Short mmCIF file of all heavy atoms in Angstrom, two decimals:
data_model
loop_
_atom_site.label_atom_id
_atom_site.label_comp_id
_atom_site.label_asym_id
_atom_site.label_seq_id
_atom_site.Cartn_x
_atom_site.Cartn_y
_atom_site.Cartn_z
N MET A 262 122.04 112.77 150.94
CA MET A 262 121.30 114.03 151.50
C MET A 262 121.27 113.98 152.92
O MET A 262 121.09 112.91 153.59
CB MET A 262 119.90 114.02 150.95
CG MET A 262 119.85 114.45 149.46
SD MET A 262 118.10 114.75 148.86
CE MET A 262 117.64 113.04 148.59
N LYS A 263 121.44 115.05 153.63
CA LYS A 263 121.51 115.12 155.09
C LYS A 263 120.17 115.18 155.72
O LYS A 263 119.18 115.62 155.12
CB LYS A 263 122.26 116.40 155.50
CG LYS A 263 123.74 116.50 155.39
CD LYS A 263 124.34 117.60 156.05
CE LYS A 263 125.84 117.46 156.11
NZ LYS A 263 126.32 118.21 157.19
N LYS A 264 120.17 114.58 156.85
CA LYS A 264 118.97 114.72 157.68
C LYS A 264 119.04 115.97 158.60
O LYS A 264 120.01 116.29 158.92
CB LYS A 264 118.73 113.45 158.63
CG LYS A 264 118.57 112.20 157.85
CD LYS A 264 118.56 110.96 158.80
CE LYS A 264 118.39 109.72 158.12
NZ LYS A 264 118.46 108.57 158.93
N TYR A 265 117.90 116.44 158.88
CA TYR A 265 117.88 117.65 159.80
C TYR A 265 116.90 117.40 160.97
O TYR A 265 115.92 116.66 160.86
CB TYR A 265 117.31 118.81 159.04
CG TYR A 265 118.35 119.46 158.09
CD1 TYR A 265 118.74 118.88 156.93
CD2 TYR A 265 118.91 120.62 158.42
CE1 TYR A 265 119.70 119.51 156.17
CE2 TYR A 265 119.87 121.21 157.64
CZ TYR A 265 120.20 120.62 156.45
OH TYR A 265 121.14 121.15 155.64
N ILE A 266 117.30 117.87 162.14
CA ILE A 266 116.53 117.68 163.42
C ILE A 266 115.97 119.05 163.86
O ILE A 266 116.64 120.13 163.81
CB ILE A 266 117.44 117.05 164.44
CG1 ILE A 266 116.59 116.62 165.69
CG2 ILE A 266 118.63 117.86 164.90
CD1 ILE A 266 117.22 115.69 166.66
N CYS A 267 114.74 118.93 164.38
CA CYS A 267 114.08 120.20 164.91
C CYS A 267 114.84 120.45 166.28
O CYS A 267 114.71 119.55 167.15
CB CYS A 267 112.57 119.95 164.97
SG CYS A 267 111.75 121.33 165.86
N ASP A 268 115.21 121.66 166.44
CA ASP A 268 115.90 121.95 167.78
C ASP A 268 114.90 122.08 168.87
O ASP A 268 115.29 122.04 170.12
CB ASP A 268 116.71 123.38 167.48
CG ASP A 268 117.76 123.30 166.53
OD1 ASP A 268 118.20 122.16 166.33
OD2 ASP A 268 117.99 124.29 165.87
N VAL A 269 113.64 122.20 168.57
CA VAL A 269 112.64 122.40 169.61
C VAL A 269 112.02 121.08 170.06
O VAL A 269 112.05 120.87 171.31
CB VAL A 269 111.40 123.22 169.08
CG1 VAL A 269 110.31 123.36 170.13
CG2 VAL A 269 112.00 124.67 168.72
N CYS A 270 111.70 120.20 169.08
CA CYS A 270 111.00 118.95 169.53
C CYS A 270 111.67 117.65 169.26
O CYS A 270 111.32 116.62 169.68
CB CYS A 270 109.53 118.88 168.99
SG CYS A 270 109.51 118.52 167.24
N GLY A 271 112.74 117.75 168.38
CA GLY A 271 113.47 116.48 168.12
C GLY A 271 113.04 115.72 166.88
O GLY A 271 113.57 114.74 166.53
N TYR A 272 112.06 116.26 166.20
CA TYR A 272 111.61 115.60 164.90
C TYR A 272 112.66 115.59 163.92
O TYR A 272 113.46 116.64 163.87
CB TYR A 272 110.32 116.41 164.35
CG TYR A 272 110.05 116.04 162.96
CD1 TYR A 272 109.28 114.87 162.63
CD2 TYR A 272 110.46 116.85 161.80
CE1 TYR A 272 109.00 114.58 161.28
CE2 TYR A 272 110.20 116.48 160.54
CZ TYR A 272 109.38 115.28 160.23
OH TYR A 272 109.16 114.95 158.91
N VAL A 273 112.84 114.54 163.27
CA VAL A 273 113.98 114.41 162.28
C VAL A 273 113.35 114.33 160.92
O VAL A 273 112.54 113.60 160.53
CB VAL A 273 114.86 113.17 162.42
CG1 VAL A 273 115.83 113.03 161.30
CG2 VAL A 273 115.57 113.19 163.83
N TYR A 274 113.76 115.36 160.08
CA TYR A 274 113.35 115.42 158.56
C TYR A 274 114.27 114.62 157.90
O TYR A 274 115.56 114.84 157.84
CB TYR A 274 113.35 116.80 158.05
CG TYR A 274 112.97 116.76 156.47
CD1 TYR A 274 111.72 116.53 156.02
CD2 TYR A 274 114.05 116.78 155.54
CE1 TYR A 274 111.48 116.33 154.78
CE2 TYR A 274 113.84 116.70 154.20
CZ TYR A 274 112.51 116.41 153.82
OH TYR A 274 112.18 116.38 152.47
N ASP A 275 113.87 113.44 157.30
CA ASP A 275 114.61 112.54 156.47
C ASP A 275 114.33 112.64 155.00
O ASP A 275 113.20 112.39 154.67
CB ASP A 275 114.34 111.10 156.95
CG ASP A 275 115.22 110.03 156.16
OD1 ASP A 275 115.85 110.42 155.15
OD2 ASP A 275 115.27 108.90 156.69
N PRO A 276 115.15 113.17 154.17
CA PRO A 276 114.90 113.37 152.75
C PRO A 276 114.47 112.20 151.92
O PRO A 276 113.78 112.22 150.95
CB PRO A 276 116.18 114.08 152.21
CG PRO A 276 117.17 113.73 153.23
CD PRO A 276 116.60 113.48 154.46
N GLU A 277 114.84 110.93 152.46
CA GLU A 277 114.46 109.68 151.87
C GLU A 277 113.02 109.48 152.02
O GLU A 277 112.45 108.71 151.28
CB GLU A 277 115.36 108.50 152.33
CG GLU A 277 116.77 108.63 152.01
CD GLU A 277 117.62 107.40 152.30
OE1 GLU A 277 116.99 106.38 152.66
OE2 GLU A 277 118.86 107.56 152.26
N ILE A 278 112.38 110.02 153.09
CA ILE A 278 111.05 109.80 153.38
C ILE A 278 110.18 111.06 152.99
O ILE A 278 108.95 110.97 152.46
CB ILE A 278 110.79 109.59 154.92
CG1 ILE A 278 111.55 108.29 155.34
CG2 ILE A 278 109.39 109.48 155.24
CD1 ILE A 278 111.57 108.06 156.84
N GLY A 279 110.80 112.34 153.11
CA GLY A 279 110.00 113.54 152.90
C GLY A 279 109.04 113.75 153.92
O GLY A 279 109.21 113.30 155.07
N ASP A 280 108.02 114.52 153.69
CA ASP A 280 106.94 114.75 154.71
C ASP A 280 105.64 114.61 153.90
O ASP A 280 105.04 115.65 153.40
CB ASP A 280 107.05 116.17 155.19
CG ASP A 280 106.09 116.46 156.30
OD1 ASP A 280 105.25 115.53 156.58
OD2 ASP A 280 105.97 117.63 156.75
N PRO A 281 105.14 113.42 153.70
CA PRO A 281 103.96 113.18 152.84
C PRO A 281 102.73 114.03 153.22
O PRO A 281 101.86 114.27 152.55
CB PRO A 281 103.64 111.65 152.90
CG PRO A 281 104.86 111.12 153.69
CD PRO A 281 105.67 112.25 154.18
N ASP A 282 102.58 114.20 154.63
CA ASP A 282 101.42 114.90 155.10
C ASP A 282 101.44 116.35 154.72
O ASP A 282 100.38 117.06 154.71
CB ASP A 282 101.43 114.74 156.68
CG ASP A 282 101.10 113.45 157.15
OD1 ASP A 282 100.55 112.54 156.37
OD2 ASP A 282 101.45 113.01 158.31
N SER A 283 102.62 116.87 154.29
CA SER A 283 102.78 118.25 153.94
C SER A 283 103.08 118.32 152.38
O SER A 283 103.57 119.40 151.88
CB SER A 283 103.89 118.95 154.66
OG SER A 283 103.49 119.08 156.02
N ASP A 284 102.87 117.27 151.65
CA ASP A 284 103.06 117.19 150.14
C ASP A 284 104.54 117.36 149.80
O ASP A 284 104.80 118.04 148.79
CB ASP A 284 102.18 118.11 149.50
CG ASP A 284 100.73 117.72 149.61
OD1 ASP A 284 100.37 116.60 149.69
OD2 ASP A 284 99.79 118.67 149.63
N ILE A 285 105.42 116.99 150.72
CA ILE A 285 106.87 117.06 150.50
C ILE A 285 107.31 115.63 149.92
O ILE A 285 107.25 114.78 150.78
CB ILE A 285 107.66 117.47 151.64
CG1 ILE A 285 107.24 118.81 152.16
CG2 ILE A 285 109.16 117.58 151.24
CD1 ILE A 285 107.31 120.04 151.22
N ALA A 286 107.62 115.48 148.72
CA ALA A 286 107.90 114.12 148.20
C ALA A 286 109.15 113.58 148.66
O ALA A 286 110.13 114.21 149.09
CB ALA A 286 107.98 114.17 146.64
N ALA A 287 109.09 112.30 148.65
CA ALA A 287 110.41 111.54 149.06
C ALA A 287 111.52 111.95 148.12
O ALA A 287 111.19 112.12 146.93
CB ALA A 287 110.18 109.98 149.04
N GLY A 288 112.66 112.06 148.67
CA GLY A 288 113.87 112.51 147.84
C GLY A 288 114.01 114.09 147.70
O GLY A 288 114.91 114.54 147.08
N THR A 289 113.21 114.86 148.50
CA THR A 289 113.37 116.29 148.53
C THR A 289 114.24 116.60 149.55
O THR A 289 114.18 116.38 150.75
CB THR A 289 112.02 116.88 148.84
OG1 THR A 289 110.99 116.48 147.92
CG2 THR A 289 112.12 118.46 148.79
N SER A 290 115.43 117.32 149.18
CA SER A 290 116.43 117.65 150.20
C SER A 290 115.83 118.86 150.99
O SER A 290 114.91 119.60 150.64
CB SER A 290 117.65 118.24 149.51
OG SER A 290 117.51 119.46 148.85
N PHE A 291 116.41 118.99 152.26
CA PHE A 291 115.86 120.02 153.17
C PHE A 291 116.00 121.42 152.55
O PHE A 291 115.05 122.26 152.73
CB PHE A 291 116.70 119.99 154.46
CG PHE A 291 116.11 120.84 155.57
CD1 PHE A 291 115.03 120.37 156.35
CD2 PHE A 291 116.65 122.02 155.83
CE1 PHE A 291 114.50 121.16 157.27
CE2 PHE A 291 116.17 122.87 156.84
CZ PHE A 291 115.01 122.48 157.48
N GLU A 292 117.12 121.63 151.84
CA GLU A 292 117.22 123.03 151.17
C GLU A 292 116.13 123.25 150.15
O GLU A 292 115.82 124.41 149.88
CB GLU A 292 118.59 122.98 150.50
CG GLU A 292 119.77 122.95 151.42
CD GLU A 292 120.14 121.49 151.99
OE1 GLU A 292 119.52 120.50 151.35
OE2 GLU A 292 120.93 121.35 152.85
N ASN A 293 115.52 122.26 149.59
CA ASN A 293 114.47 122.50 148.56
C ASN A 293 113.06 122.40 149.12
O ASN A 293 112.14 122.58 148.25
CB ASN A 293 114.58 121.35 147.45
CG ASN A 293 115.89 121.61 146.64
OD1 ASN A 293 116.36 122.68 146.48
ND2 ASN A 293 116.50 120.53 146.12
N ILE A 294 112.93 122.26 150.40
CA ILE A 294 111.49 122.40 151.03
C ILE A 294 111.20 123.89 150.93
O ILE A 294 112.04 124.78 151.21
CB ILE A 294 111.60 121.91 152.51
CG1 ILE A 294 111.88 120.39 152.53
CG2 ILE A 294 110.22 122.20 153.12
CD1 ILE A 294 112.13 120.00 153.93
N PRO A 295 109.90 124.17 150.67
CA PRO A 295 109.52 125.63 150.68
C PRO A 295 109.82 126.37 151.91
O PRO A 295 109.73 125.70 153.02
CB PRO A 295 107.97 125.57 150.39
CG PRO A 295 107.71 124.19 149.70
CD PRO A 295 108.79 123.23 150.35
N THR A 296 110.06 127.65 151.95
CA THR A 296 110.47 128.32 153.10
C THR A 296 109.24 128.43 154.07
O THR A 296 109.55 128.76 155.25
CB THR A 296 110.93 129.72 152.70
OG1 THR A 296 109.88 130.42 151.98
CG2 THR A 296 112.18 129.72 151.92
N ASP A 297 108.12 128.32 153.66
CA ASP A 297 106.89 128.41 154.57
C ASP A 297 106.58 127.10 155.22
O ASP A 297 105.65 126.94 155.99
CB ASP A 297 105.75 129.00 153.91
CG ASP A 297 105.26 128.14 152.72
OD1 ASP A 297 105.79 127.19 152.30
OD2 ASP A 297 104.06 128.40 152.22
N TRP A 298 107.37 126.02 154.96
CA TRP A 298 107.16 124.80 155.55
C TRP A 298 107.44 124.83 157.02
O TRP A 298 108.23 125.62 157.53
CB TRP A 298 108.12 123.57 154.97
CG TRP A 298 107.92 122.29 155.62
CD1 TRP A 298 107.09 121.34 155.31
CD2 TRP A 298 108.86 121.72 156.50
NE1 TRP A 298 107.30 120.12 155.94
CE2 TRP A 298 108.42 120.44 156.74
CE3 TRP A 298 110.01 122.18 157.23
CZ2 TRP A 298 109.06 119.58 157.63
CZ3 TRP A 298 110.63 121.38 158.18
CH2 TRP A 298 110.23 119.99 158.36
N VAL A 299 106.75 124.01 157.95
CA VAL A 299 106.83 123.99 159.33
C VAL A 299 107.02 122.64 159.75
O VAL A 299 106.60 121.67 159.19
CB VAL A 299 105.73 124.78 160.10
CG1 VAL A 299 105.70 126.24 159.67
CG2 VAL A 299 104.46 124.18 159.91
N CYS A 300 107.73 122.47 160.99
CA CYS A 300 107.74 121.17 161.55
C CYS A 300 106.31 120.44 161.69
O CYS A 300 105.46 121.10 162.30
CB CYS A 300 108.44 121.30 162.91
SG CYS A 300 108.63 119.73 163.83
N PRO A 301 106.15 119.31 161.34
CA PRO A 301 104.88 118.63 161.35
C PRO A 301 104.47 118.31 162.81
O PRO A 301 103.35 117.94 163.10
CB PRO A 301 104.98 117.38 160.50
CG PRO A 301 106.39 117.16 160.50
CD PRO A 301 107.15 118.54 160.49
N VAL A 302 105.34 118.41 163.81
CA VAL A 302 105.11 117.99 165.15
C VAL A 302 104.74 119.18 166.00
O VAL A 302 103.84 119.33 166.64
CB VAL A 302 106.31 117.15 165.71
CG1 VAL A 302 106.09 116.89 167.28
CG2 VAL A 302 106.49 115.81 165.03
N CYS A 303 105.71 120.29 165.90
CA CYS A 303 105.63 121.36 166.84
C CYS A 303 105.28 122.71 166.15
O CYS A 303 105.00 123.74 166.79
CB CYS A 303 106.73 121.45 167.73
SG CYS A 303 108.33 122.08 166.91
N GLY A 304 105.45 122.74 164.86
CA GLY A 304 105.10 123.96 163.99
C GLY A 304 106.07 125.01 163.84
O GLY A 304 105.74 126.12 163.41
N VAL A 305 107.38 124.76 164.27
CA VAL A 305 108.30 125.84 164.14
C VAL A 305 108.88 125.75 162.65
O VAL A 305 108.70 124.87 161.93
CB VAL A 305 109.50 125.73 165.08
CG1 VAL A 305 109.06 125.91 166.52
CG2 VAL A 305 110.25 124.40 164.94
N GLY A 306 109.48 126.91 162.23
CA GLY A 306 109.95 126.96 160.79
C GLY A 306 111.26 126.32 160.63
O GLY A 306 111.97 125.79 161.52
N LYS A 307 111.76 126.38 159.34
CA LYS A 307 113.02 125.73 159.04
C LYS A 307 114.24 126.25 159.68
O LYS A 307 115.23 125.52 159.80
CB LYS A 307 113.09 125.96 157.46
CG LYS A 307 112.33 125.08 156.62
CD LYS A 307 112.55 125.33 155.15
CE LYS A 307 113.86 124.92 154.66
NZ LYS A 307 114.10 125.07 153.27
N SER A 308 114.15 127.52 160.08
CA SER A 308 115.33 128.08 160.74
C SER A 308 115.57 127.39 162.07
O SER A 308 116.60 127.62 162.74
CB SER A 308 115.06 129.63 160.96
OG SER A 308 113.93 129.91 161.78
N ASP A 309 114.64 126.68 162.65
CA ASP A 309 114.87 126.08 163.94
C ASP A 309 115.25 124.59 163.79
O ASP A 309 115.10 123.80 164.64
CB ASP A 309 113.52 126.10 164.78
CG ASP A 309 113.16 127.52 165.29
OD1 ASP A 309 114.06 128.01 165.86
OD2 ASP A 309 112.06 127.93 165.07
N PHE A 310 115.75 124.17 162.63
CA PHE A 310 116.34 122.92 162.28
C PHE A 310 117.83 122.96 162.20
O PHE A 310 118.42 124.03 161.67
CB PHE A 310 115.76 122.39 161.03
CG PHE A 310 114.38 121.73 161.26
CD1 PHE A 310 113.21 122.53 161.34
CD2 PHE A 310 114.15 120.33 161.12
CE1 PHE A 310 111.96 121.97 161.57
CE2 PHE A 310 113.02 119.75 161.30
CZ PHE A 310 111.86 120.62 161.45
N SER A 311 118.57 121.96 162.50
CA SER A 311 119.87 121.72 162.40
C SER A 311 120.37 120.43 161.70
O SER A 311 119.63 119.49 161.84
CB SER A 311 120.66 121.76 163.84
OG SER A 311 120.39 122.89 164.51
N ALA A 312 121.37 120.51 160.83
CA ALA A 312 121.79 119.42 160.09
C ALA A 312 122.39 118.36 161.02
O ALA A 312 122.89 118.68 162.04
CB ALA A 312 122.92 119.89 159.13
N ILE A 313 122.02 117.07 160.79
CA ILE A 313 122.72 115.98 161.61
C ILE A 313 123.86 115.56 160.90
O ILE A 313 123.89 115.15 159.74
CB ILE A 313 121.65 114.81 161.73
CG1 ILE A 313 120.39 115.30 162.53
CG2 ILE A 313 122.27 113.71 162.54
CD1 ILE A 313 119.34 114.28 162.48
N ASP A 314 125.04 115.53 161.53
CA ASP A 314 126.21 114.98 160.99
C ASP A 314 126.25 113.52 161.05
O ASP A 314 125.99 112.98 162.06
CB ASP A 314 127.42 115.56 161.72
CG ASP A 314 127.59 117.08 161.51
OD1 ASP A 314 127.39 117.57 160.46
OD2 ASP A 314 127.91 117.71 162.48
N ASP A 315 126.50 112.92 159.92
CA ASP A 315 126.50 111.43 159.91
C ASP A 315 127.86 110.90 160.44
O ASP A 315 128.81 111.44 160.44
CB ASP A 315 126.33 110.93 158.47
CG ASP A 315 124.97 111.27 157.98
OD1 ASP A 315 124.04 111.24 158.81
OD2 ASP A 315 124.78 111.42 156.79
#
C-alpha cells in the first residue's frame, strides 16, 4: 500500500499505521479512508494529498 503526503504541511499517511486518533485502523489504504477525513495536523482534505513513489 502506498503512503500519501499532505501537500500543505508534509504529514505522511502510512497505511500500516492508519490514523488511530481519527478511528482509521492500521491496514486501511488511503483510497478507503472516508471522503470527509482531514489531515490530522493541518485539517485539509484528501484532495490535498499526493502519493509517495517508493
Side-chain angles (χ1 to χ4, degrees):
M262 287 187 279
K263 285 190 170 207
K264 295 178 183 177
Y265 282 74
I266 189 167
C267 177
D268 298 328
V269 176
C270 73
Y272 167 81
V273 174
Y274 175 77
D275 184 344
E277 291 186 14
I278 299 169
D280 181 10
D282 293 337
S283 297
D284 294 324
I285 306 297
T289 302
S290 68
F291 188 79
E292 295 80 9
N293 289 333
I294 295 173
T296 56
D297 62 350
W298 177 83
V299 296
C300 176
V302 175
C303 71
V305 298
K307 285 178 67 175
S308 63
D309 290 307
F310 278 73
S311 300
I313 298 174
D314 294 322
D315 292 331

